[in-house]
């Protein structure tokens, strides 16, 4: 009944010309998604707790995290529900970019859901085997990349790698270069956010910030005059992604209400994988992959810390017979915890760094 009411409300408001404005619908989408998250959150948490869908803490993780064992997880379902309902209510459903991002988001969410399900049902902290997780991520990532590459109205322009801070610097990738880039951006961002999601509120707030910032990039890319003035590639229809990004930001803020320290619920892989894939897909569509790399610097560093730690351990194990570590523990947020920082200190300081990186990324709009 609630969904039918909102559908009726959205249809009635669109009858007024003022509600056809992209900016207003974006704000309304953010508010609607936040409402869904806040309203449905307690019920979802009770449902998860009643079915004992609790977090299985990794045996190799910090000892301080053992107290988190049993906290309801798979809360990312709440985020996906809020995003999907809001998108269906406020977006122009004839827009192919909206459906592309939504399908990618839900597809990666299904992978994450199955991973979380294995952790909960079989009490296996490792979840779905890495090779199978990567395989299905690759299927979805390549599928999205091929669709975007071969459905573009202007392949020459849409397959260029735009370099920020320069007016005319871009690198033609060609169709297959674009496919490869899109695949790595979507899959890479998805896994990067998943690796970062290890402390209460650590991953969701940077995701909200980046999604909110990318509303501006999507708006510019979808507006011919603004794109020409700011020397951006014009992508017809990309502006409609503002509504979906607003929904991500609103749903994320609503989820943070329950995920803030001490967390009542974790989003799990179902939330982390899907949100990362969504941001990666949007960045590719609006041709701002490098800007995503800048704004998501925390995610990038977290991922690099794991790669460096594993690589160095394997190298020293083969060379010296004993594996050595560079960080006290990876990902990087655990290193700072082991160094003596409190969990809340790590989270807030990473948020502050993300704010600075997002502002730096926004400066690329004009500094060219």
């Amino acid at each position: 009944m609630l969904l039918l009411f909102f559908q009726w409300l959205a249809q009635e408001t669109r009858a007024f010309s003022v509600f056809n404005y992209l900016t207003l619908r974006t704000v309304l989408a953010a508010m609607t998604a936040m409402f869904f998250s806040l309203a449905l959150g307690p019920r979802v948490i009770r449902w998860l707790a009643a079915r004992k869908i609790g977090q299985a803490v990794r045996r190799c993780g910090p000892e301080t995290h053992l107290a988190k064992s049993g906290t309801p997880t798979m809360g990312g379902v709440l985020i996906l529900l809020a995003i999907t309902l809001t998108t269906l209510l406020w977006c122009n459903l004839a827009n192919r970019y909206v459906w592309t991002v939504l399908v990618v988001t839900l597809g990666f969410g299904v992978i994450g859901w199955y991973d979380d399900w294995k952790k909960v049902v079989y009490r296996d902290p490792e979840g779905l085997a890495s090779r199978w997780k990567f395989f299905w991520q690759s299927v979805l990532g390549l599928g999205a990349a091929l669709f975007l590459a071969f459905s573009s109205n202007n392949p020459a322009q849409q397959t260029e790698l735009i370099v920020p801070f320069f007016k005319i610097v871009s690198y033609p990738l060609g169709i297959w270069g674009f496919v490869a880039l899109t695949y790595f951006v979507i899959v890479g961002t998805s896994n990067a956010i998943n690796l970062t999601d290890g402390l209460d509120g650590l991953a969701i707030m940077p995701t909200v910030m980046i999604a909110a910032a990318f509303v501006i990039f999507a708006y510019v890319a979808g507006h011919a005059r603004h794109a020409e003035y700011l020397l951006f590639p014009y992508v017809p229809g990309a502006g409609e992604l503002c509504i979906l990004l607003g929904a991500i930001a609103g749903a994320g803020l609503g989820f943070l209400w329950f995920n803030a320290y001490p967390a009542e619920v974790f989003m799990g892989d179902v939330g982390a994988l899907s949100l990362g894939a969504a941001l990666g897909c949007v960045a590719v569509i609006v041709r701002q992959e490098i800007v995503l790399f800048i704004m998501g610097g925390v995610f990038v560093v977290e991922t690099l810390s794991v790669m460096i730690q594993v690589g160095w351990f394997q190298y020293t194990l083969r060379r010296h017979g004993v594996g050595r570590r560079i960080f006290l523990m990876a990902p990087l947020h655990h290193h700072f915890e082991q160094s003596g920082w409190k969990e809340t200190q790590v989270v807030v300081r990473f948020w502050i760094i993300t704010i600075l990186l997002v502002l730096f990324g926004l400066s690329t709009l004009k500094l060219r």
Side-chain angles (χ1 to χ4, degrees), residues 4-233:
L4 291 175
F5 169 74
F6 274 100
Q7 285 179 331
W8 171 82
L9 181 62
Q11 290 172 356
E12 291 298 315
T13 54
R14 287 176 191 173
F16 299 95
S17 59
V18 67
F19 287 98
N20 290 323
Y21 285 109
L22 196 60
T23 50
L24 180 58
R25 283 192 292 132
T26 300
V27 173
L28 291 173
M31 294 173 62
T32 303
M34 185 184 295
F35 170 80
F36 278 133
S37 287
L38 292 174
L40 299 176
R43 291 190 177 189
V44 171
I45 293 172
R46 287 196 298 269
W47 185 84
L48 293 171
R51 284 154 181 78
K52 302 186 184 302
I53 303 178
Q55 177 71 20
V57 178
R58 291 185 305 145
R59 293 181 292 272
C60 57
E63 292 184 4
T64 55
H65 286 211
L66 295 176
K68 298 175 183 285
S69 181
T71 302
T73 188
M74 295 180 70
V77 171
L78 173 64
I79 301 174
L80 292 180
L81 184 62
I83 291 172
T84 303
L85 293 177
T86 302
T87 301
L88 295 177
L89 289 173
W90 292 110
C91 274
N92 175 10
L93 300 182
N95 186 290
R96 61 191 174 94
Y97 291 132
V98 169
W99 282 109
T100 301
V101 177
L102 191 59
V103 168
V104 167
T105 303
L106 294 177
F108 274 77
V110 170
I111 297 172
W113 177 86
Y114 184 69
D115 186 29
D116 289 333
W117 181 79
K118 285 202 68 176
K119 292 175 184 177
V120 172
V121 174
Y122 295 106
R123 301 296 175 185
D124 179 7
E126 303 305 323
L128 179 65
S130 299
R131 64 181 182 277
W132 286 112
K133 185 188 296 186
F134 181 70
F135 171 78
W136 289 114
Q137 286 178 321
S138 298
V139 169
L140 286 171
L142 284 174
L146 290 169
F147 175 79
L148 291 173
F150 289 99
S151 65
S152 174
N153 296 324
N154 188 353
Q157 184 188 57
Q158 296 305 313
T159 56
E160 291 182 340
L161 177 63
I162 308 299
V163 180
F165 300 112
F166 296 94
K167 290 184 177 180
I168 56 174
V169 177
S170 61
Y171 294 97
L173 300 173
I175 292 293
W176 297 112
F178 173 79
V179 169
L181 176 66
T182 301
Y183 165 77
F184 284 115
V185 170
I186 293 176
V187 175
T189 309
S190 176
N191 286 300
I193 292 183
N194 193 34
L195 288 172
T196 306
D197 184 34
L199 301 179
D200 298 352
L202 178 59
I204 190 61
M205 191 58 185
T207 301
V208 168
M209 296 179 197
I210 295 170
F214 259 91
V215 167
I216 301 175
F217 286 95
Y219 182 81
V220 170
H223 195 290
R225 284 185 294 176
H226 293 340
E228 181 182 6
Y229 173 70
L230 293 172
L231 301 175
F232 272 48

Side-chain angles (χ1 to χ4, degrees), residues 189 192-193 196 206-207 210 214 289-305 332 350 353-358 360-361:
T189 309
I193 292 183
T196 306
T207 301
I210 295 170
F214 259 91
E289 300 90 348
I290 295 179
V291 171
L292 176 62
F293 184 86
I294 294 171
M295 291 184 176
V298 166
F299 301 140
V300 173
V301 171
E302 291 270 55
T303 304
L304 289 176
S305 70
L332 190 61
F350 276 38
I353 293 171
T354 300
I355 292 172
L356 296 175
L357 292 173
V358 167
F360 184 58

Side-chain angles (χ1 to χ4, degrees), residues 320-341:
H320 304 290
V322 178
R324 299 173 183 174
R325 295 175 173 84
I326 294 178
F327 304 104
L328 296 177
M329 187 176 290
L332 190 61
H333 56 262
H334 289 325
H335 169 81
F336 287 113
E337 275 192 295
Q338 298 294 84
S339 299
W341 290 17

